[in-house]
Amino acid sequence: MLDLRQIRNNPEEVQNRLNLRTANTGVYDLAPILKLDQAQLELESTRTSLQSRSNEIGKLIGQKMQQGATPQSPEITELKTEGNQIKAELSELEPQEREIKAQIEDLLLQLPNLPSTSTPIGKSETDNREIRTWGEEYKNTNPKILPHWEIGEKLGILEFAKAVKISQSRFVNLIGIGAALERALINFMLDSQIAAGYLEVMPPILVNSKSLTGTGQLPKFAEESFKCAEDDLWLTPTAEVPLTNLYRDEILSENQLPILHCAYTPCFRREAGSYGKDTRGLIRLHQFNKVELVKIVHPDTSEVEHQKMVKDASAILEALKLPYRVIELCTGDLGFSAAKCYDLEVWLPSMGKYREISSCSNCTDFQARRANIRFKQAGKKGTQYVHTLNGSGLAVGRTMSAILENYQQPDGRIKVPEVLQPYLKKDEIQPNCP
RNA sequence: GGAGAGAUGGCAGAGUGGUCGAUUGCGUCCGACUUGAAAUCGGAUGAAGUGCAAGCUUCCGGGAGUUCGAAUCUCCCUCUCUCCGCCA
């Protein structure tokens, strides 16, 4: 959520920065908010002075009664009459003001974060900026390489058809060594991030509406998540939701910061509107595994912590010797809650291109404001909003697909990345191997 | 699912109609003592809105009501805990 006072005090600047997110202006319009805000302030000042007099009357009556006045005495009845008049006026004003406040809140919840001033300006993903590439020498150059879903089915470790029978398209069964490889990846990723200083959490995977609102998935992107019909619970689309909301409505002390968490969870996405895309393989499933990183930090440190988080995520790719590149998203491609975002993209030989495998966002105070996560500085009055960051470390299924392709040998065997061998207790995967 | 109890400031926990944003303890901060620290002692310390400020207003799970006046009384809802049942 954006700061209403910032909108009020610098409407043009906020509007301009919002416009950087879209090719056409007018998508985000502050005018209705400004208008409602003004009306609310006027109502508030009237209401406040009425309430002030009402409080005064209450105190006066209390005093007079203690001094011996009876409830029937003229001075008391006069005050009571005035009190009742004020009450009548307030009963008109209060609902109006509440309604306006609710409208403002609704509108604010629809607005995305302001892009950071350091985010490159651009309209779409084609304007994203490549920061660096890594691991050119590890790219698989075999011209007859099979896409991961084909080699996976051939090896008997990925199975798609029966997943459709069990649930729907966009689900997969991992079989035998395939399941073991997924587990190995999860464990390796978690162990690495724990060593990097993140505290592991295994959170609830069903989360309530407040949590999804706190991190920005609601109200705007309700159609992206699976909802449980009978309860106010949703299947979490990313562990960012439970991890960040661990601290919702809390006032932390400065010395608790930074807080670093990692978590493995399955993630669930409806993928509404992406029916034609990535229909085969592990790239775009309704359910996928992910190891997530979340940081709750002091605002002064969020940029540094963001850079570190990108390092922590890319360390996994480097340990696995998977070629990747880092791109910085432009203003037009930025996610709803992010002010600045780096994507890690892994090389997928079958597609001949890099595909997103991690997205590391600095959400500045945007989620903190929605989720009401603040901290107190010792000896300082008041509270400040923390900054929140999140990043994948990494998407497990996409990592698996990158391994099945980049480590694919001409005879169809898959070499197991060295760092995974202790986890998998194998150095290669071949057809029907146990 | 049945029965009961509860929800108060960073935490614990008092407060059953009037000056209560709320006793107290812990925590935190400042100071004294000390070579330093601990202990001890003294003082300060909730959040939010608005305003240049003084101030004013709101907030005791959420909503509605009674009243001149509600943390306190009434009703509804949500959540938590305990016991029973059921299941893992």
Side-chain angles (χ1 to χ4, degrees):
Chain A
M1 196 151 63
L2 298 182
D3 182 3
L4 182 56
R5 266 173 296 191
Q6 190 188 8
I7 294 176
R8 186 187 298 150
N9 297 334
N10 304 295
E12 297 86 7
E13 193 208 324
V14 174
Q15 183 71 67
N16 289 339
R17 283 172 74 185
L18 282 175
N19 289 346
L20 293 175
R21 283 179 165 269
T22 57
N24 21 356
T25 53
V27 175
Y28 303 113
D29 186 9
L30 297 180
I33 293 176
L34 289 164
K35 207 173 149 194
L36 287 167
D37 179 49
Q38 207 186 346
Q40 190 272 322
L41 288 180
E42 280 165 23
L43 276 173
E44 180 178 297
S45 97
T46 313
R47 193 208 74 219
T48 299
S49 50
L50 284 171
Q51 274 172 336
S52 179
R53 176 58 185 162
S54 171
N55 291 341
E56 205 174 0
I57 289 169
K59 280 182 190 172
L60 273 173
I61 292 177
Q63 279 169 10
K64 286 181 192 287
M65 303 271 272
Q66 269 174 0
Q67 288 160 12
T70 63
Q72 288 76 30
S73 61
E75 47 178 352
I76 299 288
T77 47
E78 202 175 303
L79 284 168
K80 282 192 179 184
T81 307
E82 193 189 344
N84 277 325
Q85 277 167 2
I86 290 175
K87 197 158 63 159
E89 288 179 66
L90 281 173
S91 69
E92 301 250 320
L93 290 181
E94 278 173 345
Q96 281 179 37
E97 195 190 342
R98 250 203 314 274
E99 172 61 23
I100 290 183
K101 275 189 161 166
Q103 284 178 21
I104 293 172
E105 170 98 358
D106 285 350
L107 290 172
L108 283 176
L109 287 173
Q110 303 279 343
L111 291 178
N113 200 357
L114 299 181
S116 153
T117 48
S118 65
T119 295
I121 292 169
K123 290 185 175 165
S124 72
E125 61 181 323
T126 50
D127 298 319
N128 292 341
R129 181 192 290 164
E130 185 178 287
I131 303 288
R132 62 189 173 88
T133 59
W134 183 93
E136 197 66 30
E137 66 274 28
Y138 299 114
K139 282 184 176 175
N140 191 328
T141 51
N142 175 9
K144 292 188 180 163
I145 200 155
L146 293 175
H148 67 271
W149 57 91
E150 281 183 28
I151 188 71
E153 297 217 291
K154 213 167 185 173
L155 291 167
I157 62 174
L158 299 184
E159 197 291 318
F160 292 94
K162 288 192 167 101
V164 175
K165 174 168 71 178
I166 297 167
S167 52
Q168 267 189 9
S169 65
R170 291 203 191 283
F171 287 89
V172 69
N173 287 302
L174 303 177
I175 315 275
I177 200 82
L181 177 58
E182 186 90 352
R183 278 191 288 118
L185 281 167
I186 292 165
N187 280 329
F188 166 65
M189 289 176 188
L190 282 173
D191 287 349
S192 306
Q193 303 304 357
I194 290 164
Y198 296 81
L199 178 64
E200 185 184 355
V201 178
M202 202 172 274
I205 291 164
L206 294 184
V207 295
N208 59 31
S209 296
K210 266 195 173 169
S211 295
L212 281 168
T213 307
T215 31
Q217 285 79 12
L218 286 180
K220 229 187 159 184
F221 305 104
E223 72 286 351
E224 262 305 311
S225 294
F226 290 100
K227 185 174 193 329
C228 300
E230 304 298 326
D231 303 281
D232 177 32
L233 289 171
W234 306 67
L235 290 175
T236 187
T238 159
E240 165 199 346
V241 178
L243 290 182
T244 306
N245 279 284
L246 277 172
Y247 301 97
R248 190 177 71 234
D249 293 322
E250 296 208 355
I251 299 176
L252 305 162
S253 66
E254 189 185 14
N255 57 27
Q256 285 177 269
L257 305 176
I259 295 170
L260 277 62
H261 283 306
C262 62
Y264 151 69
T265 66
C267 302
F268 302 87
R269 298 187 185 175
R270 293 191 63 234
E271 296 296 346
S274 62
Y275 297 112
K277 284 186 209 161
D278 306 312
T279 49
R280 313 203 62 185
L282 300 172
I283 300 299
R284 196 175 295 275
L285 297 174
H286 287 310
Q287 175 185 338
F288 61 95
N289 293 315
K290 182 155 60 74
V291 170
E292 181 75 359
L293 308 174
V294 160
K295 294 188 179 188
I296 312 281
V297 309
H298 190 292
D300 294 348
T301 66
S302 72
E303 281 184 39
V304 174
E305 294 289 353
H306 192 201
Q307 301 295 331
K308 279 202 221 161
M309 180 179 267
V310 174
K311 278 222 173 81
D312 294 332
S314 52
I316 304 288
L317 289 165
E318 292 179 20
L320 290 167
K321 295 185 174 152
L322 290 171
Y324 72 94
R325 64 172 186 168
V326 182
I327 59 164
E328 182 174 6
L329 299 197
C330 73
T331 54
D333 202 24
L334 216 49
F336 185 75
S337 297
K340 191 178 178 72
C341 180
Y342 296 100
D343 274 5
L344 302 184
E345 298 184 333
V346 72
W347 180 251
L348 281 189
S350 72
M351 299 187 182
K353 60 180 177 185
Y354 290 98
R355 291 301 306 257
E356 178 187 336
I357 195 166
S358 170
S359 193
C360 298
S361 300
N362 183 353
C363 299
T364 59
D365 60 356
F366 183 81
Q367 293 179 325
R369 208 171 243 113
R370 287 175 161 252
N372 196 27
I373 308 173
R374 293 166 290 169
F375 74 99
K376 211 180 172 64
Q377 220 156 346
K380 222 174 154 181
K381 239 186 122 53
T383 59
Q384 300 175 63
Y385 287 107
V386 298
H387 280 193
T388 62
L389 300 97
N390 62 78
S392 349
L394 307 163
V396 182
R398 291 188 179 185
T399 308
M400 163 108 75
S401 47
I403 289 170
L404 292 182
E405 296 189 5
N406 285 291
Y407 278 83
Q408 194 180 123
Q409 305 303 301
D411 61 5
R413 287 175 302 120
I414 310 289
K415 286 211 302 197
V416 174
E418 226 170 286
V419 290
L420 288 183
Q421 289 175 12
Y423 289 89
L424 204 59
K425 299 182 179 67
K426 273 196 181 351
D427 57 11
E428 64 173 37
I429 304 171
Q430 43 191 302
N432 305 314
C433 74

